[in-house]
Short mmCIF file of all heavy atoms in Angstrom, two decimals:
data_model
loop_
_atom_site.label_atom_id
_atom_site.label_comp_id
_atom_site.label_asym_id
_atom_site.label_seq_id
_atom_site.Cartn_x
_atom_site.Cartn_y
_atom_site.Cartn_z
N THR L 145 90.63 106.18 75.81
CA THR L 145 91.39 105.39 74.84
C THR L 145 90.84 103.97 74.77
O THR L 145 90.16 103.51 75.69
CB THR L 145 92.87 105.33 75.25
OG1 THR L 145 92.98 104.61 76.48
CG2 THR L 145 93.45 106.73 75.42
N PRO L 146 91.15 103.23 73.69
CA PRO L 146 90.74 101.82 73.63
C PRO L 146 91.28 101.02 74.80
O PRO L 146 90.61 100.14 75.31
CB PRO L 146 91.31 101.34 72.29
CG PRO L 146 91.41 102.58 71.45
CD PRO L 146 91.75 103.68 72.41
N GLU L 147 92.52 101.32 75.22
CA GLU L 147 93.09 100.61 76.37
C GLU L 147 92.28 100.87 77.63
O GLU L 147 92.10 99.98 78.46
CB GLU L 147 94.55 101.05 76.59
CG GLU L 147 95.54 100.44 75.62
CD GLU L 147 95.61 101.21 74.31
OE1 GLU L 147 94.88 102.22 74.14
OE2 GLU L 147 96.37 100.80 73.43
N ALA L 148 91.78 102.11 77.78
CA ALA L 148 90.98 102.42 78.96
C ALA L 148 89.67 101.65 78.96
O ALA L 148 89.26 101.08 79.97
CB ALA L 148 90.71 103.93 79.03
N ARG L 149 89.00 101.61 77.79
CA ARG L 149 87.73 100.89 77.73
C ARG L 149 87.90 99.40 77.98
O ARG L 149 87.00 98.74 78.47
CB ARG L 149 87.09 101.13 76.35
CG ARG L 149 86.47 102.52 76.20
CD ARG L 149 85.63 102.60 74.94
NE ARG L 149 86.46 102.52 73.75
CZ ARG L 149 86.98 103.59 73.13
NH1 ARG L 149 86.74 104.81 73.61
NH2 ARG L 149 87.72 103.45 72.05
N ALA L 150 89.08 98.89 77.63
CA ALA L 150 89.33 97.45 77.81
C ALA L 150 90.02 97.13 79.12
O ALA L 150 90.40 95.98 79.35
CB ALA L 150 90.20 96.94 76.65
N ARG L 151 90.15 98.11 80.02
CA ARG L 151 90.99 97.92 81.20
C ARG L 151 90.52 96.78 82.10
O ARG L 151 91.33 96.00 82.60
CB ARG L 151 91.06 99.23 81.99
CG ARG L 151 92.05 99.19 83.15
CD ARG L 151 92.45 100.59 83.59
NE ARG L 151 93.32 101.21 82.60
CZ ARG L 151 93.10 102.41 82.08
NH1 ARG L 151 92.04 103.11 82.43
NH2 ARG L 151 93.96 102.92 81.22
N GLY L 153 88.97 94.06 81.29
CA GLY L 153 89.35 92.80 80.66
C GLY L 153 90.85 92.54 80.77
O GLY L 153 91.29 91.39 80.95
N LEU L 154 91.66 93.60 80.65
CA LEU L 154 93.10 93.45 80.78
C LEU L 154 93.48 92.97 82.18
O LEU L 154 94.38 92.14 82.35
CB LEU L 154 93.80 94.77 80.47
CG LEU L 154 93.71 95.26 79.02
CD1 LEU L 154 94.28 96.66 78.89
CD2 LEU L 154 94.44 94.31 78.08
N TYR L 155 92.79 93.47 83.19
CA TYR L 155 93.08 93.02 84.55
C TYR L 155 92.63 91.58 84.77
O TYR L 155 93.26 90.83 85.53
CB TYR L 155 92.43 93.96 85.57
CG TYR L 155 93.29 95.15 85.89
CD1 TYR L 155 93.19 96.33 85.16
CD2 TYR L 155 94.22 95.11 86.92
CE1 TYR L 155 93.98 97.43 85.45
CE2 TYR L 155 95.01 96.19 87.23
CZ TYR L 155 94.90 97.35 86.48
OH TYR L 155 95.70 98.44 86.76
N THR L 157 92.70 89.31 82.43
CA THR L 157 93.76 88.55 81.78
C THR L 157 94.99 88.48 82.67
O THR L 157 95.66 87.44 82.75
CB THR L 157 94.13 89.19 80.44
OG1 THR L 157 92.96 89.26 79.61
CG2 THR L 157 95.20 88.39 79.71
N GLU L 158 95.27 89.58 83.37
CA GLU L 158 96.40 89.59 84.29
C GLU L 158 96.20 88.59 85.43
O GLU L 158 97.14 87.94 85.88
CB GLU L 158 96.60 91.00 84.84
CG GLU L 158 97.82 91.16 85.73
CD GLU L 158 99.10 90.79 85.02
OE1 GLU L 158 99.19 90.99 83.78
OE2 GLU L 158 100.01 90.30 85.70
N ARG L 161 97.20 85.30 84.17
CA ARG L 161 98.66 85.17 84.18
C ARG L 161 99.15 84.83 85.58
O ARG L 161 100.03 83.99 85.77
CB ARG L 161 99.32 86.48 83.72
CG ARG L 161 99.15 86.81 82.25
CD ARG L 161 99.99 88.02 81.88
NE ARG L 161 99.75 88.39 80.49
CZ ARG L 161 98.89 89.32 80.10
NH1 ARG L 161 98.20 89.98 81.01
NH2 ARG L 161 98.73 89.58 78.83
N MET L 181 106.66 86.41 75.70
CA MET L 181 106.48 87.86 75.67
C MET L 181 107.16 88.50 74.48
O MET L 181 108.30 88.19 74.15
CB MET L 181 107.01 88.48 76.96
CG MET L 181 106.21 88.07 78.18
SD MET L 181 106.75 88.92 79.67
CE MET L 181 105.50 88.32 80.81
N ARG L 182 106.43 89.41 73.83
CA ARG L 182 106.95 90.12 72.66
C ARG L 182 106.64 91.61 72.80
O ARG L 182 105.56 91.98 73.28
CB ARG L 182 106.30 89.58 71.39
CG ARG L 182 106.59 88.10 71.14
CD ARG L 182 105.82 87.56 69.95
NE ARG L 182 104.37 87.62 70.15
CZ ARG L 182 103.68 86.74 70.86
NH1 ARG L 182 104.29 85.74 71.47
NH2 ARG L 182 102.36 86.85 70.97
N MET L 183 107.60 92.42 72.38
CA MET L 183 107.42 93.87 72.43
C MET L 183 107.69 94.46 71.05
O MET L 183 108.60 94.03 70.34
CB MET L 183 108.38 94.51 73.45
CG MET L 183 108.36 96.05 73.43
SD MET L 183 109.61 96.81 74.49
CE MET L 183 108.86 96.53 76.08
N GLU L 184 106.88 95.45 70.69
CA GLU L 184 107.13 96.27 69.51
C GLU L 184 107.28 97.71 69.97
O GLU L 184 106.52 98.18 70.81
CB GLU L 184 105.97 96.17 68.51
CG GLU L 184 105.90 94.84 67.77
CD GLU L 184 104.85 94.88 66.67
OE1 GLU L 184 104.10 95.87 66.60
OE2 GLU L 184 104.80 93.92 65.88
N ALA L 185 108.26 98.40 69.44
CA ALA L 185 108.48 99.80 69.81
C ALA L 185 108.73 100.61 68.56
O ALA L 185 109.35 100.14 67.59
CB ALA L 185 109.67 99.91 70.76
N GLY L 186 108.23 101.83 68.55
CA GLY L 186 108.43 102.69 67.39
C GLY L 186 107.86 104.07 67.63
O GLY L 186 107.35 104.38 68.71
N ALA L 191 97.08 108.25 66.11
CA ALA L 191 96.05 107.52 66.85
C ALA L 191 96.54 107.08 68.22
O ALA L 191 95.73 106.77 69.11
CB ALA L 191 95.59 106.31 66.04
N GLU L 192 97.85 107.03 68.41
CA GLU L 192 98.41 106.58 69.69
C GLU L 192 98.63 107.72 70.67
O GLU L 192 98.91 107.48 71.85
CB GLU L 192 99.74 105.86 69.45
CG GLU L 192 99.58 104.57 68.68
CD GLU L 192 100.91 103.93 68.36
OE1 GLU L 192 101.84 104.65 67.96
OE2 GLU L 192 101.02 102.70 68.52
N PRO L 194 96.54 109.83 72.22
CA PRO L 194 95.72 109.82 73.44
C PRO L 194 96.20 108.83 74.49
O PRO L 194 96.21 109.13 75.69
CB PRO L 194 94.32 109.46 72.92
CG PRO L 194 94.32 109.92 71.50
CD PRO L 194 95.71 109.65 71.01
N ARG L 195 96.62 107.63 74.06
CA ARG L 195 97.09 106.64 75.02
C ARG L 195 98.42 107.08 75.63
O ARG L 195 98.64 106.89 76.84
CB ARG L 195 97.24 105.28 74.34
CG ARG L 195 97.91 104.20 75.19
CD ARG L 195 97.20 103.95 76.50
NE ARG L 195 97.82 102.86 77.25
CZ ARG L 195 97.61 102.63 78.54
NH1 ARG L 195 96.80 103.41 79.23
NH2 ARG L 195 98.21 101.62 79.14
N ALA L 196 99.30 107.68 74.82
CA ALA L 196 100.57 108.17 75.36
C ALA L 196 100.32 109.25 76.41
O ALA L 196 100.96 109.27 77.47
CB ALA L 196 101.44 108.70 74.23
N GLU L 198 97.63 109.55 78.18
CA GLU L 198 97.02 108.88 79.33
C GLU L 198 98.09 108.26 80.22
O GLU L 198 98.02 108.35 81.45
CB GLU L 198 96.04 107.82 78.84
CG GLU L 198 95.32 107.09 79.97
CD GLU L 198 94.40 106.01 79.45
OE1 GLU L 198 94.88 105.13 78.69
OE2 GLU L 198 93.22 106.03 79.79
N LEU L 199 99.09 107.61 79.62
CA LEU L 199 100.17 107.03 80.41
C LEU L 199 100.92 108.10 81.18
O LEU L 199 101.29 107.89 82.35
CB LEU L 199 101.14 106.27 79.49
CG LEU L 199 100.71 104.87 79.05
CD1 LEU L 199 101.63 104.36 77.95
CD2 LEU L 199 100.72 103.91 80.22
N PHE L 228 107.53 108.23 71.30
CA PHE L 228 107.67 106.82 70.98
C PHE L 228 106.81 106.01 71.94
O PHE L 228 106.57 106.40 73.09
CB PHE L 228 109.13 106.38 71.10
CG PHE L 228 110.04 107.07 70.15
CD1 PHE L 228 110.70 108.23 70.50
CD2 PHE L 228 110.23 106.58 68.86
CE1 PHE L 228 111.54 108.89 69.62
CE2 PHE L 228 111.07 107.22 67.97
CZ PHE L 228 111.73 108.38 68.35
N THR L 229 106.33 104.87 71.45
CA THR L 229 105.51 104.00 72.28
C THR L 229 106.00 102.56 72.16
O THR L 229 106.67 102.19 71.20
CB THR L 229 104.02 104.05 71.89
OG1 THR L 229 103.89 103.74 70.51
CG2 THR L 229 103.43 105.42 72.17
N ALA L 230 105.63 101.76 73.17
CA ALA L 230 105.92 100.33 73.18
C ALA L 230 104.64 99.56 73.44
O ALA L 230 103.81 99.98 74.25
CB ALA L 230 106.97 100.01 74.25
N ARG L 231 104.48 98.45 72.76
CA ARG L 231 103.32 97.58 72.90
C ARG L 231 103.81 96.18 73.24
O ARG L 231 104.84 95.74 72.74
CB ARG L 231 102.52 97.56 71.59
CG ARG L 231 101.36 96.59 71.57
CD ARG L 231 100.71 96.55 70.19
NE ARG L 231 100.08 97.80 69.85
CZ ARG L 231 98.84 98.14 70.19
NH1 ARG L 231 98.10 97.29 70.88
NH2 ARG L 231 98.35 99.30 69.85
N MET L 232 103.04 95.45 74.07
CA MET L 232 103.43 94.09 74.43
C MET L 232 102.29 93.11 74.22
O MET L 232 101.12 93.46 74.35
CB MET L 232 103.88 94.02 75.90
CG MET L 232 105.33 94.35 76.13
SD MET L 232 105.83 94.12 77.86
CE MET L 232 105.54 92.36 78.07
N THR L 233 102.67 91.88 73.88
CA THR L 233 101.73 90.76 73.81
C THR L 233 102.40 89.55 74.44
O THR L 233 103.62 89.49 74.59
CB THR L 233 101.33 90.42 72.36
OG1 THR L 233 102.53 90.05 71.63
CG2 THR L 233 100.67 91.60 71.67
N ASP L 234 101.59 88.55 74.82
CA ASP L 234 102.12 87.26 75.22
C ASP L 234 101.07 86.19 74.93
O ASP L 234 100.07 86.47 74.28
CB ASP L 234 102.58 87.25 76.69
CG ASP L 234 101.43 87.44 77.68
OD1 ASP L 234 100.24 87.35 77.28
OD2 ASP L 234 101.71 87.67 78.88
N ARG L 235 101.28 84.98 75.40
CA ARG L 235 100.37 83.89 75.07
C ARG L 235 98.97 84.12 75.64
O ARG L 235 98.00 83.49 75.20
CB ARG L 235 100.92 82.55 75.55
CG ARG L 235 101.00 82.42 77.05
CD ARG L 235 101.22 80.95 77.49
NE ARG L 235 102.43 80.38 76.93
CZ ARG L 235 102.44 79.23 76.25
NH1 ARG L 235 101.31 78.56 76.06
NH2 ARG L 235 103.57 78.75 75.78
N PHE L 236 98.83 85.02 76.60
CA PHE L 236 97.53 85.27 77.20
C PHE L 236 96.74 86.34 76.45
O PHE L 236 95.53 86.43 76.60
CB PHE L 236 97.69 85.69 78.66
CG PHE L 236 98.27 84.61 79.53
CD1 PHE L 236 99.63 84.57 79.79
CD2 PHE L 236 97.46 83.64 80.08
CE1 PHE L 236 100.17 83.57 80.58
CE2 PHE L 236 97.99 82.64 80.88
CZ PHE L 236 99.35 82.60 81.13
N GLY L 237 97.44 87.19 75.70
CA GLY L 237 96.73 88.24 74.98
C GLY L 237 97.58 89.47 74.78
O GLY L 237 98.81 89.47 74.96
N ASP L 238 96.92 90.56 74.39
CA ASP L 238 97.57 91.82 74.06
C ASP L 238 97.50 92.75 75.26
O ASP L 238 96.43 93.04 75.79
CB ASP L 238 96.84 92.44 72.85
CG ASP L 238 97.57 93.64 72.28
OD1 ASP L 238 98.53 94.12 72.92
OD2 ASP L 238 97.18 94.10 71.19
N TYR L 239 98.65 93.23 75.73
CA TYR L 239 98.69 94.23 76.79
C TYR L 239 98.29 95.60 76.28
O TYR L 239 97.98 96.49 77.07
CB TYR L 239 100.10 94.35 77.36
CG TYR L 239 100.62 93.20 78.17
CD1 TYR L 239 101.15 92.07 77.58
CD2 TYR L 239 100.64 93.27 79.57
CE1 TYR L 239 101.67 91.03 78.33
CE2 TYR L 239 101.17 92.24 80.33
CZ TYR L 239 101.68 91.12 79.70
OH TYR L 239 102.20 90.09 80.45
N GLY L 240 98.35 95.82 74.98
CA GLY L 240 98.14 97.15 74.41
C GLY L 240 99.41 97.98 74.53
O GLY L 240 100.52 97.47 74.74
N ILE L 241 99.26 99.28 74.39
CA ILE L 241 100.40 100.20 74.52
C ILE L 241 100.73 100.34 76.00
O ILE L 241 99.90 100.79 76.79
CB ILE L 241 100.08 101.56 73.90
CG1 ILE L 241 99.87 101.42 72.39
CG2 ILE L 241 101.20 102.57 74.19
CD1 ILE L 241 99.36 102.67 71.72
N ILE L 242 101.93 99.94 76.36
CA ILE L 242 102.30 99.90 77.78
C ILE L 242 103.39 100.90 78.14
O ILE L 242 103.73 101.04 79.32
CB ILE L 242 102.75 98.48 78.19
CG1 ILE L 242 103.80 97.91 77.21
CG2 ILE L 242 101.55 97.55 78.23
CD1 ILE L 242 105.21 98.33 77.45
N GLY L 243 103.95 101.59 77.16
CA GLY L 243 105.03 102.52 77.46
C GLY L 243 105.06 103.68 76.49
O GLY L 243 104.65 103.56 75.33
N THR L 244 105.53 104.82 76.98
CA THR L 244 105.72 105.98 76.11
C THR L 244 106.96 106.73 76.55
O THR L 244 107.32 106.73 77.73
CB THR L 244 104.49 106.91 76.14
OG1 THR L 244 104.62 107.92 75.14
CG2 THR L 244 104.33 107.58 77.50
N ALA L 260 107.69 106.70 80.66
CA ALA L 260 106.60 106.21 81.51
C ALA L 260 106.08 104.89 80.98
O ALA L 260 105.94 104.71 79.76
CB ALA L 260 105.47 107.24 81.57
N LEU L 261 105.79 103.98 81.90
CA LEU L 261 105.22 102.68 81.54
C LEU L 261 104.09 102.32 82.49
O LEU L 261 104.05 102.77 83.63
CB LEU L 261 106.28 101.58 81.58
CG LEU L 261 107.39 101.69 80.55
CD1 LEU L 261 108.64 102.27 81.19
CD2 LEU L 261 107.70 100.36 79.90
N SER L 262 103.19 101.48 82.00
CA SER L 262 102.09 100.99 82.82
C SER L 262 102.64 100.12 83.94
O SER L 262 103.53 99.30 83.72
CB SER L 262 101.11 100.19 81.96
OG SER L 262 100.21 99.47 82.76
N CYS L 263 102.06 100.29 85.13
CA CYS L 263 102.50 99.46 86.26
C CYS L 263 102.13 98.00 86.06
O CYS L 263 102.67 97.12 86.75
CB CYS L 263 101.92 99.99 87.56
SG CYS L 263 100.11 100.00 87.62
N ARG L 264 101.23 97.69 85.11
CA ARG L 264 100.82 96.30 84.89
C ARG L 264 101.97 95.43 84.40
O ARG L 264 101.92 94.21 84.51
CB ARG L 264 99.68 96.23 83.89
CG ARG L 264 98.36 96.77 84.41
CD ARG L 264 97.23 96.54 83.42
NE ARG L 264 97.41 97.29 82.20
CZ ARG L 264 97.70 96.77 81.01
NH1 ARG L 264 97.86 95.47 80.87
NH2 ARG L 264 97.82 97.52 79.94
N ILE L 265 103.00 96.05 83.81
CA ILE L 265 104.09 95.24 83.25
C ILE L 265 105.34 95.27 84.13
O ILE L 265 106.40 94.83 83.71
CB ILE L 265 104.42 95.69 81.81
CG1 ILE L 265 104.65 97.20 81.71
CG2 ILE L 265 103.28 95.30 80.88
CD1 ILE L 265 105.96 97.70 82.15
N ARG L 268 108.63 92.52 84.39
CA ARG L 268 108.64 91.64 83.21
C ARG L 268 109.70 92.02 82.18
O ARG L 268 109.72 91.49 81.09
CB ARG L 268 107.26 91.63 82.56
CG ARG L 268 106.29 90.88 83.47
CD ARG L 268 104.86 91.12 83.11
NE ARG L 268 104.06 91.00 84.32
CZ ARG L 268 102.76 90.96 84.35
NH1 ARG L 268 102.06 91.04 83.24
NH2 ARG L 268 102.12 90.86 85.49
N ALA L 270 110.01 94.86 80.58
CA ALA L 270 109.60 95.83 79.57
C ALA L 270 110.30 97.16 79.74
O ALA L 270 110.66 97.82 78.75
CB ALA L 270 108.09 96.02 79.62
N PHE L 274 112.53 98.69 76.72
CA PHE L 274 112.15 99.94 76.05
C PHE L 274 113.28 100.96 76.17
O PHE L 274 113.60 101.68 75.22
CB PHE L 274 110.87 100.47 76.68
CG PHE L 274 110.22 101.61 75.93
CD1 PHE L 274 110.34 101.73 74.55
CD2 PHE L 274 109.46 102.55 76.61
CE1 PHE L 274 109.73 102.78 73.87
CE2 PHE L 274 108.85 103.60 75.94
CZ PHE L 274 108.99 103.72 74.57
N LEU L 343 112.35 88.13 76.60
CA LEU L 343 111.47 89.07 75.91
C LEU L 343 111.98 89.31 74.49
O LEU L 343 113.10 89.79 74.31
CB LEU L 343 111.41 90.40 76.69
CG LEU L 343 110.56 91.51 76.11
CD1 LEU L 343 109.10 91.09 76.00
CD2 LEU L 343 110.67 92.77 76.97
N SER L 354 104.48 102.83 65.40
CA SER L 354 104.32 101.47 65.92
C SER L 354 102.88 101.02 65.85
O SER L 354 101.98 101.82 65.71
CB SER L 354 104.79 101.41 67.38
OG SER L 354 104.03 102.27 68.19
#
Side-chain angles (χ1 to χ4, degrees):
T145 66
E147 284 83 0
R149 285 191 292 269
R151 187 160 288 128
L154 293 173
Y155 274 90
T157 302
E158 184 58 32
R161 289 187 184 96
M181 294 186 174
R182 299 174 297 280
M183 173 186 285
E184 288 187 352
E192 294 176 316
R195 172 57 177 164
E198 182 182 54
L199 280 169
F228 297 92
T229 56
R231 174 185 294 274
M232 274 184 62
T233 61
D234 65 12
R235 66 166 58 233
F236 296 95
D238 189 350
Y239 290 81
I241 296 172
I242 49 83
T244 189
L261 294 101
S262 168
C263 60
R264 290 186 294 110
I265 51 79
R268 289 165 209 190
F274 191 30
L343 179 61
S354 61

